[in-house]
Amino acid sequence: GYSVFSNNKATPKLKRRLYISGVTSVLRYGSETYTLSEKAENALRQFNARNLARLTGREIADEYRTPTYDLVREIHKTRAKWLGHILRMEETSYLHQTIREIYHNNYPGSLVSTTPDHNDFDDLLSLARDRDLWRAFVRNLPTHGSSAPSGDPHKVGSTTRQVLSNE
């Protein structure tokens, strides 16, 4: 069958834009509810690298290490945006209460796996209520291959209030 991705007349830029809007959007849809384990992230990175390599002509390994489009980062950004919305909801809302429960039980790969540096849940709420700070956190999420988070699963790299407020 016909595929715009194999059409020599379609520019690489057009193919990449179609891939992002038509293919990866399906993978990103509902990603807020995924359990995003390391295994799942690796599978998404491999899928993304194989497809991008076909579109860009780069090696699969290069697209894996430094992707032209970082699908996993975009999923993390979507999840972090949604988490910020939930944290700003009334504390009596079921979603807010569910997030509090997930946070305190430390479920790996859950929606609260990607958060800015903070001390406790109340500190995280305070960060989320500052929309500009939260947006800066989302914008500055690390890309694949940059320094990975370590230690506390509720902290991402060195993304602190001070770093974010200096933007």
Side-chain angles (χ1 to χ4, degrees):
Y2 175 79
S3 171
V4 71
F5 296 113
S6 59
N7 183 331
N8 292 335
K9 293 180 183 178
T11 65
K13 182 178 179 178
L14 174 63
K15 291 178 185 181
R16 189 174 56 251
R17 289 177 66 188
L18 288 171
Y19 171 71
I20 292 168
S21 64
V23 177
T24 68
S25 62
V26 174
L27 296 170
R28 290 188 328 263
Y29 182 79
S31 62
E32 302 88 350
T33 63
Y34 300 170
T35 298
L36 202 53
S37 65
E38 285 185 39
K39 183 177 180 182
E41 282 189 19
N42 190 45
L44 286 166
R45 281 192 180 95
Q46 289 175 5
F47 170 84
N48 192 50
R50 284 191 309 272
N51 286 293
L52 286 172
R54 280 189 217 127
L55 300 178
T56 63
R58 294 175 64 204
E59 294 294 322
I60 293 173
D62 293 336
E63 284 292 355
Y64 185 89
R65 280 190 300 277
T66 56
T68 305
Y69 171 77
D70 195 338
L71 172 61
V72 173
R73 179 176 187 256
E74 292 304 315
I75 288 172
H76 278 288
K77 285 172 64 174
T78 299
R79 291 163 59 97
K81 286 178 193 175
W82 181 236
L83 177 61
H85 293 306
I86 295 171
L87 292 171
R88 287 186 294 273
M89 289 179 176
E90 293 292 325
E91 292 188 25
T92 56
S93 79
Y94 290 126
L95 272 175
H96 186 96
Q97 291 174 20
T98 301
I99 290 300
R100 181 182 293 273
E101 181 72 18
I102 289 170
Y103 178 90
H104 288 299
N105 287 299
N106 198 20
Y107 296 112
S110 70
L111 187 59
V112 296
S113 300
T114 305
T115 59
D117 288 345
H118 62 282
N119 298 315
D120 55 26
F121 191 76
D122 289 333
D123 193 30
L124 183 62
L125 287 176
S126 174
L127 289 168
R129 288 184 181 124
D130 184 335
R131 290 174 185 260
D132 291 333
L133 196 63
W134 197 266
R135 284 185 193 113
F137 159 69
V138 171
R139 258 193 324 273
N140 292 311
L141 279 172
T143 58
H144 180 63
S146 63
S147 60
S150 61
D152 187 340
H154 293 129
K155 297 181 178 182
V156 175
S158 63
T159 309
T160 62
R161 276 190 178 95
Q162 189 172 21
V163 171
L164 295 176
S165 62
N166 286 336
E167 280 208 335

